[in-house]
């Protein structure tokens, strides 16, 4: 995992936080919640792909 991956997750977090605040201040709480959930799902999908790579590396390391 490179530092670029961490920066991507941080960038998504910052963008979601800004959008969330803008939507809440404009009175669209439901859309703010959906934006937050969408950002969370995107980050979780990114992390799941990295966990998959980790398991493959462990599998190759121990020759399973």
């Amino acid at each position: 995992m490179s530092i670029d991956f961490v920066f991507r997750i941080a960038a998504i977090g910052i963008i979601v936080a800004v959008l969330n605040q803008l939507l809440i201040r404009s009175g669209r709480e439901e859309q703010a919640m959906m934006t937050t959930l969408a950002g969370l799902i995107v980050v979780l999908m990114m992390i799941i792909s990295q966990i998959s790579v980790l398991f493959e590396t462990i599998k190759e390391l121990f020759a399973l």
Side-chain angles (χ1 to χ4, degrees):
M1 177 169 52
S2 65
I3 192 74
D4 183 49
F5 182 72
V6 176
F7 285 149
R8 284 184 193 168
I9 292 176
I12 291 171
I14 291 169
I15 290 169
V16 167
V18 169
L19 286 174
N20 190 14
Q21 289 300 315
L22 287 174
L23 289 169
I24 286 176
R25 290 182 190 260
S26 67
R28 298 178 177 169
E29 288 82 15
E30 295 86 12
Q31 291 169 341
M33 179 62 71
M34 294 303 284
T35 304
T36 303
L37 287 175
L40 179 65
I41 290 170
V42 168
V43 170
L44 285 176
M45 294 302 288
M46 292 170 60
I47 291 173
I48 287 172
S49 68
Q50 290 296 316
I51 290 173
S52 173
V53 171
L54 173 68
F55 284 149
E56 289 297 322
T57 304
I58 291 172
K59 192 174 176 182
E60 290 173 8
L61 181 66
F62 292 112
L64 296 175

